[in-house]
Amino acid sequence: MHELAVADNIVNAVLAEMQRRGLSSVATVAVRVGALTDIVPDALEFGFEILTRETALAATKLKIDRIPCQGRCRDCGKDFEVQECVFVCPHCQSCDIQMTRGNELDIAYIEVDDGS
């Protein structure tokens, strides 16, 4: 379950940012998770909840934005969303695909409580 390691990295990054900015609390941490990362959102949320207990992030909500898998055909140049892991251009049937979205795994933003 690599979600726990990912959750640990998120928690550590947010705690470091809180210390750097002198924040006492954070309302929301939003992360972008691409479909190709194999991250299970429920497992990531569970790991985040476990790791933030009894920390300054105990009341912080984790918001997960799922990013679909998208590609661009190198033959016809059209963009498309990859459906059901079929990496074939639906326009020209080419398999020469450049992935343009779906590998994301990052903190999108941190929402601070009023008065922090």
Side-chain angles (χ1 to χ4, degrees), residues 34-103:
L36 295 174
T37 63
D38 282 337
I39 297 289
V40 177
D42 289 343
L44 182 60
E45 287 181 73
F46 179 75
F48 184 83
E49 180 183 317
I50 294 299
L51 293 170
T52 57
R53 285 184 184 163
E54 299 181 27
T55 73
L57 297 175
T60 301
K61 179 183 176 211
L62 180 66
K63 180 177 184 256
I64 300 173
D65 294 325
R66 296 286 292 166
I67 307 298
C69 184
Q70 292 185 329
R72 175 173 294 127
C73 178
R74 289 187 175 109
D75 289 338
C76 72
K78 294 195 176 179
D79 294 316
F80 61 94
E81 187 169 321
V82 174
Q83 300 291 327
E84 299 179 16
C85 293
V86 177
F87 296 90
V88 176
C89 176
H91 305 285
C92 73
Q93 307 310 309
S94 172
C95 293
D96 191 6
I97 307 300
Q98 173 188 1
M99 298 313 303
T100 57
R101 292 184 75 195
N103 287 313

